[in-house]
Amino acid sequence: MASVVEYKGLKAGYYCGYCESREGKASCGMWAHSLTVQDYQDLIDRGWRRSGKYVYKPVMNRTCCPQYTIRCHPLQFQPSKSHKKVLKKMLKFLAKGEISKGNCEDEPMDSTMEDAVAGDFALINKLDIKCDLKTLSSDLKGSIESEEKMKEKSLKKEESKELIHPQAIEKLGSGEPSHSVKVHSGPKPGKGADLSKPPCRKAKEMRKERKRLKLMQQNSAGAFEGFQAQGQPASLLPKAKSNQPKSLEDLIFESLPENASHKLEVRVVRSTPPSPQFKATFQESYQVYKRYQMIIHKDPPDKPTVSQFTRFLCSSPLEAEHPANGPECGYGSFHQQYWLDGKIIAVGVIDILPYCVSSVYLYYDPDYSFLSLGVYSALREIAFTRQLHEKTPQLSYYYMGFYIHSCPKMRYKGQYRPSDLLCPETYVWVPIEQCLPSLDISKYCRFNQDPQAVDEGRSKDPDRVRVLYRRCALPYGVYKKNHQEDPREEVAVLEYADLVGQKCSERMLLFRN
């Protein structure tokens, strides 16, 4: 199984849906007749993105609104105050049918569309949603402050430890910058007490506490109560951890009463090749998309056609793969359908790849806008990634498409933390916190701070690029000696090889006519 692509080159001077420039966008693209999931994983790790079967890469130092690939770390993700608000709103609606006042004015909901190839495809993923920046920034600030307070409390409780242990840091890959970790060291001689250590205690008091803890472990609950009644201060007894924050799964899958007003079910169906479940629900899913386009994006009734819907959101170049060590559903393209009381109200289009779940798009029934389905679906997809990780450990990231700092309405993706941005020159991942100061100064930035670092995956030997000519696969070095007539063709092949990198250029077949 091999990927087959047809490079289309540079497309510049067309409309930008972010800044509304009439001719500011610039990107390189190719039609993917087929793609293996590993090839597409490597492509998006070099800044590429698909829209239907069209795969494109913004020319970052030339386009009006640079689009940086962003990925979230689901295993370390903690929902913010704003995220919890959306999840609680959904639970209240399901349990009691309550509809929150104010609808979704403070939540990102409305996805932005733009022209791509002849106005037919959108180059935006489903998380590109308008939002209230003040609300999100205050929620983000509040979540950071609450995390800092919790850390301070936990440090005070660690009385038996002499040092503050740094949290484990996940390596992002060779050549990638790592976080700096501060460890409290002891004071220099003559400089006073070590504040990182607990205050001195009498040996007699420490023996009593050890005895109490030992008795608590040995005795039953009744004996423990009797021990407490003997005059031991309750403050000296260990307290249960009652203030632990709820996990994302706890918030999503909180139990509902038996007489709940509504029932929500999320089904994952394969879209390419279409599964029987996908075929059976195609018309209903399309009708949701049509209403979404007409009401949210003001499309005329004749524009969201079945063929346009199919090309944009159902057709995918990704080949379905079912390796033994992969997820049960396999790799490839899927629709994640949200069923409320027996009908589809939203559909998240996703790709499941070797190392990530990649968000493609979301459309929903506008009648349910009050549920903030854009945010809710993103949180469900993060939880889904965590679920897939349990069986497939290497699948541990959630790709959210592009982060666009130069467009204020598009900055909210940075709220899904921890997250990284892809350096547009060296293609290493850098924590978003390290990137934001540079982006505040210039809309185009190289995030890798090592001036000597280069693109390690660049094309080093163009003659090894694989091409497909007259149904034969052969190295480009052989092809150009015997079949290349137009000197401009070599320029295009070299440009293609540089953009996709050495690994993909040697695996994928570049169609030559």
Side-chain angles (χ1 to χ4, degrees):
M1 185 165 54
S3 302
V4 180
V5 298
E6 191 172 353
Y7 183 62
K8 294 295 183 180
L10 175 68
K11 177 179 173 64
Y14 63 103
Y15 175 74
C16 174
Y18 302 115
C19 65
E20 298 185 354
S21 168
R22 287 295 170 187
E23 48 186 30
K25 288 197 74 67
S27 66
C28 293
M30 57 189 178
W31 287 104
H33 298 280
S34 66
L35 273 180
T36 66
V37 291
Q38 185 60 60
D39 283 341
Y40 185 52
Q41 176 74 68
D42 291 341
L43 285 174
I44 63 174
D45 284 338
R46 291 184 65 83
W48 291 82
R49 197 84 185 151
R50 81 172 183 89
S51 178
K53 288 190 172 184
Y54 184 72
V55 189
Y56 63 98
K57 184 182 188 302
V59 181
M60 299 291 280
N61 59 357
R62 180 172 172 180
T63 191
C64 54
C65 296
Q67 300 159 261
Y68 298 91
T69 303
I70 182 172
R71 73 177 184 184
C72 173
H73 296 248
L75 305 185
Q76 293 82 36
F77 174 79
Q78 289 293 333
S80 68
K81 181 180 177 181
S82 177
H83 298 149
K84 292 176 182 178
K85 179 181 175 183
V86 171
L87 295 175
K88 289 176 181 177
K89 180 165 55 177
M90 175 65 81
L91 288 172
K92 286 182 180 179
F93 173 74
L94 296 177
K96 303 177 183 179
E98 293 183 8
I99 299 177
S100 300
K101 294 181 180 180
N103 290 338
C104 56
E105 294 178 0
D106 59 341
E107 300 297 342
M109 280 301 303
D110 184 21
S111 56
T112 302
M113 301 285 283
E114 67 169 333
D115 295 330
V117 184
D120 199 16
F121 293 95
L123 300 186
I124 296 292
N125 76 346
K126 67 107 183 174
L127 284 176
D128 287 344
I129 297 164
K130 295 178 183 177
C131 63
D132 185 337
L133 292 176
K134 291 183 179 179
T135 302
L136 289 182
S137 61
S138 62
D139 287 342
L140 181 59
K141 183 179 178 182
S143 65
I144 293 174
E145 290 176 352
S146 62
E147 287 177 6
E148 289 176 350
K149 290 179 180 178
M150 289 182 63
K151 287 180 181 177
E152 290 177 4
K153 290 181 180 179
S154 64
L155 291 177
K156 291 178 181 178
K157 291 182 180 180
E158 295 291 325
E159 293 182 349
S160 61
K161 295 183 180 180
E162 293 185 356
L163 292 176
I164 298 176
H165 296 283
Q167 294 180 345
I169 298 174
E170 182 178 0
K171 288 275 294 179
L172 299 178
S174 60
E176 300 185 24
S178 59
H179 299 276
S180 60
V181 181
K182 293 182 180 179
V183 179
H184 293 279
S185 59
K188 295 180 180 179
K191 295 294 182 180
D194 187 353
L195 298 179
S196 67
K197 294 183 179 180
C200 296
R201 301 169 64 190
K202 292 183 178 179
K204 185 177 180 181
E205 183 182 350
M206 295 174 68
R207 284 197 300 271
K208 282 185 177 180
E209 184 169 339
R210 283 197 294 268
K211 185 177 180 181
R212 283 195 296 271
L213 293 172
K214 187 175 181 179
L215 286 171
M216 284 170 57
Q217 294 173 354
Q218 293 176 351
N219 294 334
S220 62
F224 168 73
E225 291 174 2
F227 178 74
Q228 186 177 357
Q230 293 176 6
Q232 301 298 333
S235 60
L236 294 179
L237 298 173
K239 295 181 180 179
K241 295 181 179 179
S242 58
N243 59 346
Q244 285 290 329
K246 287 186 177 181
S247 68
L248 177 62
E249 288 76 10
D250 292 337
L251 293 167
I252 291 176
F253 303 110
E254 188 172 316
S255 58
L256 297 171
E258 293 183 2
N259 60 342
S261 300
H262 301 283
K263 179 183 178 182
L264 178 68
E265 182 184 0
V266 179
R267 303 177 189 173
V268 179
V269 297
R270 183 178 287 278
S271 57
T272 306
S275 65
Q277 297 89 347
F278 178 83
K279 292 179 181 178
T281 58
F282 179 87
Q283 278 300 326
E284 183 175 356
S285 183
Y286 163 65
Q287 291 300 327
V288 174
Y289 172 75
K290 186 175 182 179
R291 291 197 71 234
Y292 172 80
Q293 291 298 116
M294 291 170 56
I295 296 176
I296 301 299
H297 297 296
K298 313 303 179 185
D299 282 358
D302 59 337
K303 185 176 180 180
T305 62
V306 171
S307 60
Q308 189 265 350
F309 168 67
T310 302
R311 290 195 304 273
F312 175 34
L313 296 175
C314 303
S315 297
S316 168
L318 299 184
E319 299 286 346
E321 299 181 31
H322 295 84
N325 62 344
E328 291 182 7
C329 59
Y331 296 117
S333 297
F334 298 82
H335 280 196
Q336 200 165 40
Q337 301 173 337
Y338 294 78
W339 290 76
L340 182 68
D341 301 332
K343 71 173 184 178
I344 298 175
I345 65 165
V347 177
V349 183
I350 59 173
D351 293 330
I352 301 179
L353 304 175
Y355 307 129
C356 73
V357 169
S358 175
S359 172
V360 179
Y361 201 71
L362 174 84
Y363 56 94
Y364 56 86
D365 187 334
D367 290 345
Y368 296 91
S369 294
F370 63 89
L371 290 174
S372 300
L373 293 170
V375 177
Y376 183 78
S377 65
L379 297 173
R380 289 294 299 244
E381 288 170 8
I382 290 174
F384 181 55
T385 307
R386 286 154 68 138
Q387 178 187 341
L388 296 178
H389 171 79
E390 293 179 3
K391 184 180 185 300
T392 312
Q394 70 271 20
L395 203 163
S396 56
Y397 296 104
Y398 176 59
Y399 282 52
M400 298 179 283
F402 290 129
Y403 174 83
I404 307 163
H405 194 78
S406 59
C407 180
K409 292 180 180 179
M410 297 289 100
R411 294 182 185 180
Y412 66 88
K413 287 184 186 178
Q415 189 192 22
Y416 294 81
R417 296 193 182 187
S419 58
D420 310 313
L421 296 183
L422 187 67
C423 176
E425 295 182 9
T426 60
Y427 302 109
V428 296
W429 295 98
V430 181
I432 191 171
E433 295 86 351
Q434 298 180 21
C435 305
L436 295 181
S438 300
L439 288 173
D440 286 335
I441 300 172
S442 173
K443 63 182 181 179
Y444 173 74
C445 299
R446 170 194 167 107
F447 299 137
N448 193 328
Q449 297 300 310
D450 181 2
Q452 303 300 321
V454 296
D455 172 17
E456 297 294 341
R458 67 191 183 281
S459 175
K460 303 177 181 68
D461 188 357
D463 283 350
R464 295 176 61 182
V465 173
R466 293 183 74 199
V467 301
L468 180 65
Y469 179 70
R470 292 184 178 178
R471 299 185 181 182
C472 292
L474 62 160
Y476 174 65
V478 175
Y479 165 81
K480 70 179 181 180
K481 288 180 181 179
N482 302 299
H483 307 290
Q484 184 169 281
E485 298 176 357
D486 188 346
R488 292 175 297 178
E489 187 175 8
E490 183 168 11
V491 176
V493 173
L494 294 177
E495 183 179 79
Y496 157 83
D498 182 60
L499 292 171
V500 303
Q502 187 70 26
K503 288 191 297 184
C504 283
S505 69
E506 291 185 22
R507 287 197 308 251
M508 301 193 305
L509 295 175
L510 176 62
F511 178 75
R512 309 314 298 159
N513 186 355

